[in-house]
Amino acid sequence: RKEVEQDPGPFNVPEGATVAFNCTYSNSASQSFFWYRQDCRKEPKLLMSVYSSGNEDGRFTAQLNRASQYISLLIRDSKLSDSATYLCVVNGRTYRDNAGNMLTFGGGTRLMVKP
Amino acid sequence: EAGVTQFPSHSVIEKGQTVTLRCDPISGHDNLYWYRRVMGKEIKFLLHFVKESKQDESGMPNNRFLAERTGGTYSTLKVQPAELEDSGVYFCASSPLGQGFYGYTFGSGTRLTVV
């Protein structure tokens, strides 16, 4: 079983649509959760962190369910520029003396927003 | 502020040859990470430096891979001899000490093709 599982998609949606992505993670000890965005042939870039209480950043809303080990990302009013691969990312092991932890990536969900 | 710089951006080599990838982290970032994405798979952790010391190299696939970070500045990742399955995109990331994964910045990657 993969440590972080995502539906690879693609999700094809029209402009203005609302779309939701989900992911599940296997390590119940994980403490930090993120959504990254990766454009074609580019590096991953942090979209937003995910907090237990849920958090919103403009059109983007992230939710975390620790009991179910489930993370979601909701994008409202999709734009053409939202077309990308969205990576669900969870922190790996921790070290007592250094917070520089490894990240565990899901395979990504591809979103294509059409005019 | 300059970002994480990786060189070369692309490399095509024959099986059995040696390739050296270079990463220049953001100035002052003591944490330096190597990740890679092979075709069809998720991005996976290779290793983590804190300054010049290897903190975690549990993701290194085998002893054909050698990473160094002399002087705690730039890092190199050498693959010798290269095999076909080493083809993929190698990402470097850096973060300040104490911010760990919250301060991650990725480089644009080196696309390695072994033929």
Side-chain angles (χ1 to χ4, degrees):
Chain A
R1 183 187 171 188
K2 291 182 181 179
E3 292 185 65
V4 180
E5 299 234 33
Q6 294 183 253
D7 179 344
F11 284 57
N12 295 294
V13 302
E15 269 187 294
T18 295
V19 62
F21 306 136
N22 306 314
C23 93
T24 56
Y25 60 95
S26 61
N27 183 0
S28 59
S30 295
Q31 295 294 319
S32 301
F33 310 90
F34 310 91
W35 284 101
Y36 273 71
R37 170 191 170 130
Q38 187 174 25
D39 291 288
C40 188
R41 293 182 172 263
K42 299 284 189 179
E43 72 273 21
K45 291 187 177 179
L46 179 65
L47 178 66
M48 59 195 302
S49 302
V50 186
Y51 303 115
S52 296
S53 55
N55 49 297
E56 191 173 302
D57 182 1
R59 297 181 293 109
F60 299 84
T61 301
Q63 298 276 357
L64 168 65
N65 184 322
R66 286 185 186 270
S68 302
Q69 295 179 206
Y70 170 98
I71 306 164
S72 66
L73 176 68
L74 183 78
I75 305 175
R76 290 181 300 278
D77 189 23
S78 299
K79 311 290 185 191
L80 294 176
S81 57
D82 294 334
S83 298
T85 296
Y86 290 83
L87 304 168
C88 180
V89 183
V90 174
N91 76 292
R93 297 184 303 279
T94 58
Y95 304 105
R96 180 169 33 189
D97 297 325
N98 177 28
N101 298 330
M102 61 179 275
L103 296 176
T104 301
F105 286 80
T109 299
R110 190 171 172 209
L111 171 66
M112 298 179 67
V113 182
K114 302 291 179 64
Chain B
E1 176 182 75
V4 177
T5 305
Q6 291 188 245
F7 182 83
S9 56
H10 293 84
S11 180
V12 181
I13 62 171
E14 292 185 352
K15 176 182 171 180
Q17 288 186 322
T18 297
V19 63
T20 300
L21 314 181
R22 174 169 169 146
C23 169
D24 286 74
I26 291 173
S27 179
H29 281 195
D30 289 331
N31 288 308
L32 187 150
Y33 309 83
W34 284 97
Y35 287 79
R36 77 172 179 176
R37 185 169 199 162
V38 297
M39 185 70 71
K41 301 281 190 178
E42 63 274 17
I43 296 172
K44 287 215 167 202
F45 168 81
L46 295 178
L47 87 160
H48 170 205
F49 284 99
V50 177
K51 299 183 181 178
E52 67 276 7
S53 299
K54 289 177 186 173
Q55 183 78 16
D56 181 1
E57 52 185 329
S58 62
M60 296 286 263
N62 52 59
N63 59 11
R64 296 185 294 104
F65 290 75
L66 175 64
E68 295 180 322
R69 193 183 181 193
T70 306
T73 54
Y74 72 91
S75 174
T76 58
L77 179 65
K78 180 191 287 188
V79 185
Q80 180 183 29
E83 298 289 346
L84 298 178
E85 65 263 26
D86 300 333
S87 295
V89 183
Y90 290 76
F91 291 105
C92 175
S94 70
S95 70
L97 200 62
Q99 288 191 27
F101 35 77
Y102 287 99
Y104 260 70
T105 301
F106 280 86
S108 56
T110 293
R111 187 171 295 274
L112 174 65
T113 304
V114 182
V115 297

